[in-house]
Amino acid sequence: MNFGLSEEQEMIVNTVRSFVEKEIYPHEDLVEQSAEVPREIAEDIKQKTIDMGFYACNFPESVGAAGLSHVDFALVERELGRGSMALTHFFGRPQNILMACQGTQVERYLKPAIRGEKRDALAMTEPGAGSDVRGMACSAQRDGGDWVLNGNKHFISGAEHADFVIVFVSTGVDETPRGPKKRITTFLVDRGTPGFTIREGYKSVSHRGYKNMILEFDNCRLPDAQVLGEVDGGFSVMNEWLYATRITVATMAVGRARRCCEYALNYAAERKQFGQQIGKFQGVSFQISDMITEIDAADWLTLASAWRLDQGLPANREIASAKLYASEMLARVTDTTLQIFGGMGLMSDFPIERFWRDARVERIWDGTSEIQRHIISRDLLRPLTLYFLKQRCLPQEPEQILGLMSYIQQD
């Protein structure tokens, strides 16, 4: 891995950072106060992103997009992380899972999403099924030649703007050694489809203006043409295309932490107490030293996981480590910055209290910290579990052993 950025990557970083500073920062106070993004501002951001050639830059050139590598796209997301998510949402990064579109779906969903003509949203989470995706109750049943969807989704980001939603639902149950295991299928559901309702979600203290919505399906009828991927193949589609969303959380956490650290540095250099800048006090200078060390560590951990994807190497554990460490690092950095600012850090005159609030959700969405630790530990322990199983198996029980090994590998 080359630890330096190429000339092209430096240009990507400078271009996106300049865009965020000029087009995003000026509107942040308005969005923070109103919890809304005015339509004209949203459309202006989207059009300028298209004009720059960065809209849908996470998609390959083969479908008419910029075709950035995983590392290049991580750099884009890192710089976007410096700005308000409610505003950078309109920078336009459709869900990569749309690459699973086939046949007429390519012209109806994939290409319009890449061109910015249609907006998408991804719907997995339910009131009773967050990290436990297989626990979802939202289901689809066969009725004649169609599917009939029933159930609810919540915490669905971007659905208020979406022209269509990518929905994961249960379409059957398999019996396994550990009990029933639901099969999952992915559907493309257009706004306005009978039986499909999008309504306002909950009020969140994190990322004001970046709304979460509630989706309701009441005998919503869909033809087979709306299935994305294969029937009962939702997990295959998910595993192939959604793994990188955790990198997005990690990179944006790094970008926000760097912006926060810059505020802390400037304040420590300007603020005086007891006749000198507070940055000269060891209690403050050491905190700043720890902050930048953790930020750099999270940055390299994240870029390394993106690099592994570019090399075609396994990266599930590395991505989980990046998401875990970067999101928890951001919590520490925002809290330390607020402490350096003292009482002023809690005042809305500075964006510090906003960074502090916004940081909290990063340890929850796209897989909680606990889920990331589970992924990491499972990746480390699974080979040993298989090894010891082979060592202890009895020759007269080959079928049972093969069944257990297969289950462990899939779990």
Side-chain angles (χ1 to χ4, degrees), residues 311-367:
Q311 305 307 308
L313 298 171
N316 196 36
R317 175 177 64 80
E318 289 79 5
I319 293 172
S321 294
K323 198 276 184 184
L324 169 66
Y325 186 78
S327 61
E328 297 200 344
M329 171 278 296
L330 179 61
R332 292 188 291 270
V333 166
T334 54
D335 192 73
T336 300
T337 300
L338 193 151
Q339 190 70 19
I340 290 172
F341 270 74
M344 290 305 298
L346 288 167
M347 303 300 113
S348 57
D349 302 67
F350 294 96
I352 309 305
E353 58 88 20
R354 168 163 63 88
F355 297 148
W356 185 55
R357 283 187 284 103
D358 290 350
R360 189 60 187 89
V361 73
E362 309 299 342
R363 288 175 280 166
I364 297 173
W365 60 14
D366 282 283

Side-chain angles (χ1 to χ4, degrees), residues 43 230 270 379:
E43 291 300 321
E230 302 295 330
E270 295 175 4
D379 187 86

Side-chain angles (χ1 to χ4, degrees), residues 65-78:
L68 296 187
S69 69
H70 287 98
V71 170
D72 292 343
F73 185 60
L75 295 172
V76 170
E77 293 283 43
R78 187 183 72 186

Side-chain angles (χ1 to χ4, degrees), residues 95 97-98 109 118-124 149 153 156-168 186-193 196-198 213-217 222 226 228:
Q95 300 291 335
I97 197 172
L98 289 174
Y109 300 104
K118 285 186 177 182
R119 291 178 181 152
D120 63 298
L122 188 71
M124 283 193 287
L149 277 62
K153 299 287 183 180
I156 310 305
S157 303
E160 74 272 31
H161 309 295
D163 297 289
F164 66 94
V165 180
I166 305 160
V167 185
F168 290 79
T186 314
F187 290 88
L188 297 164
V189 186
D190 293 313
R191 177 185 287 273
T193 300
F196 175 38
T197 303
I198 303 173
M213 308 299 285
I214 294 172
L215 311 185
E216 297 173 342
F217 300 94
L222 299 173
Q226 300 307 111
L228 182 62

Side-chain angles (χ1 to χ4, degrees), residues 136-305:
M136 62 177 58
C138 190
S139 65
Q141 304 292 330
R142 273 291 191 189
D143 184 30
D146 295 335
W147 293 93
V148 178
L149 277 62
N150 282 285
N152 300 320
K153 299 287 183 180
H154 74 167
F155 294 154
I156 310 305
S157 303
E160 74 272 31
H161 309 295
D163 297 289
F164 66 94
V165 180
I166 305 160
V167 185
F168 290 79
V169 302
S170 170
T171 47
V173 180
D174 291 323
E175 293 300 326
T176 73
R178 294 187 182 179
K181 198 171 186 179
K182 291 183 179 179
R183 299 194 297 272
I184 306 298
T185 301
T186 314
F187 290 88
L188 297 164
V189 186
D190 293 313
R191 177 185 287 273
T193 300
F196 175 38
T197 303
I198 303 173
R199 64 180 179 86
E200 191 84 11
Y202 315 100
K203 304 297 182 184
S204 174
V205 300
S206 293
H207 301 299
R208 287 178 181 163
Y210 186 71
K211 297 183 179 181
N212 66 86
M213 308 299 285
I214 294 172
L215 311 185
E216 297 173 342
F217 300 94
D218 183 12
N219 291 324
C220 177
R221 185 173 290 271
L222 299 173
D224 278 333
Q226 300 307 111
V227 174
L228 182 62
E230 302 295 330
V231 174
D232 297 333
F235 267 93
S236 296
V237 174
M238 190 187 308
N239 291 334
E240 183 173 1
W241 297 110
L242 293 184
Y243 51 81
T245 60
R246 289 173 290 160
I247 294 183
T248 293
V249 176
T251 54
M252 296 189 84
V254 171
R256 200 166 304 122
R258 288 204 184 279
R259 184 180 176 188
C260 209
C261 186
E262 289 166 7
Y263 275 99
L265 273 171
N266 290 331
Y267 194 76
E270 295 175 4
R271 171 71 168 164
K272 289 186 176 181
Q273 287 286 279
F274 303 103
Q276 62 180 348
Q277 292 93 345
I278 63 173
K280 292 185 177 180
F281 293 108
Q282 191 178 85
V284 174
S285 64
F286 278 19
Q287 287 180 315
I288 291 173
S289 299
D290 290 342
M291 286 166 61
I292 197 61
T293 300
E294 289 198 61
I295 293 170
D296 285 345
D299 201 357
W300 289 117
L301 188 62
T302 303
L303 292 176
S305 66

Side-chain angles (χ1 to χ4, degrees), residues 379-396:
D379 187 86
L380 295 171
L381 290 169
R382 179 182 286 153
L384 296 175
T385 302
L386 291 171
Y387 171 78
F388 288 118
L389 182 60
K390 290 178 182 178
Q391 294 296 311
R392 296 173 183 176
C393 70
L394 297 176
Q396 62 268 32

